Amino acid sequence: MNEAVILAAAEGANPLLPNWWEILVTVLGFAVLLFIVTKFVVPAFEKTYEERSQAIEGGIAKAEAAQAEANAALEDYKQQLVDARTEANRIREEARAEGAQILAELKEKAASESARITEQAHAQIEAERASAVASLRNEVGTLATELAGKIVGESLADDERSARVVDRFLADLESQQSAGASN
């Protein structure tokens, strides 16, 4: 093996410099490979890169649009909530006012009903009092006539005369009572 190294060294070939045919084949292979890569592979990568860029940008645009739509929906929801609260407050105030009005009407009805019942009771009491007075007059007249008849000793059966006497007596009695009450 020593002889082969010596022979190669003797021929004058430098082991650090490759053969020019090897360089030519390597450059041609590299050029063909470079042509294939630039003609077919790089455009495919560029196309994929562009599609991904557009997909990402489209996704970002869709996300921004969805975010804007969500913000608009949120604002709309907030506005509807404010409107609903305002409407609820208005309805509550209307209900309070209506309740106060109904309460006032019921109080007024109760007061008028109470006044009517009181008036009716007074009228009934007055009617009963008048009936009692008339009944008492009649009974007092009858008793007075019988008593007078017993005192006089004769019968005072004349109803008309006895009624006049009793009426006059009761009128005198009433005038004395009213005169005594005013003093």
Side-chain angles (χ1 to χ4, degrees):
M1 181 149 141
N2 265 341
E3 285 182 29
V5 175
I6 296 175
L7 270 175
E11 276 185 26
N14 189 354
L16 296 178
L17 292 175
N19 191 351
W20 69 274
W21 283 105
E22 287 178 9
I23 293 176
L24 182 65
V25 169
T26 303
V27 168
L28 278 176
F30 181 74
V32 169
L33 185 61
L34 183 65
F35 175 76
I36 291 173
V37 166
T38 41
K39 186 72 176 171
F40 299 109
V41 175
V42 169
F45 280 136
E46 286 293 324
K47 182 180 176 187
T48 304
Y49 173 74
E50 187 63 32
E51 288 173 355
R52 285 187 180 177
S53 296
Q54 287 178 356
I56 290 171
E57 289 173 4
I60 290 172
K62 285 180 184 177
E64 288 173 352
Q67 183 66 34
E69 186 177 326
N71 287 340
L74 179 64
E75 289 301 319
D76 186 42
Y77 168 74
K78 286 180 181 178
Q79 184 61 39
Q80 287 178 355
L81 188 60
V82 167
D83 291 345
R85 285 181 179 157
T86 304
E87 181 71 13
N89 286 338
R90 183 188 63 78
I91 290 171
R92 192 177 308 121
E93 289 304 317
E94 284 179 3
R96 279 189 189 129
E98 189 175 323
Q101 181 182 5
I102 289 170
L103 185 61
E105 288 174 1
L106 287 176
K107 284 181 180 179
E108 184 179 326
K109 279 184 181 179
S112 66
E113 184 69 15
S114 172
R116 185 188 64 78
I117 290 172
T118 304
E119 184 66 32
Q120 190 177 23
H122 285 299
Q124 187 176 1
I125 289 170
E126 187 60 35
E128 287 177 3
R129 183 178 116 9
S131 173
V133 166
S135 173
L136 283 176
R137 274 184 181 230
N138 193 14
E139 283 184 34
V140 167
T142 305
L143 288 175
T145 306
E146 287 177 10
L147 182 64
K150 286 183 182 179
I151 291 174
V152 173
E154 51 181 85
S155 172
L156 299 174
D158 186 8
D159 286 336
E160 194 173 304
R161 191 179 338 153
S162 64
R164 279 192 312 243
V165 170
V166 170
D167 286 339
R168 191 178 65 223
F169 173 72
L170 289 176
D172 288 343
L173 186 63
E174 284 179 3
S175 66
Q176 286 176 358
Q177 281 183 350
S178 61
S182 28
N183 287 337

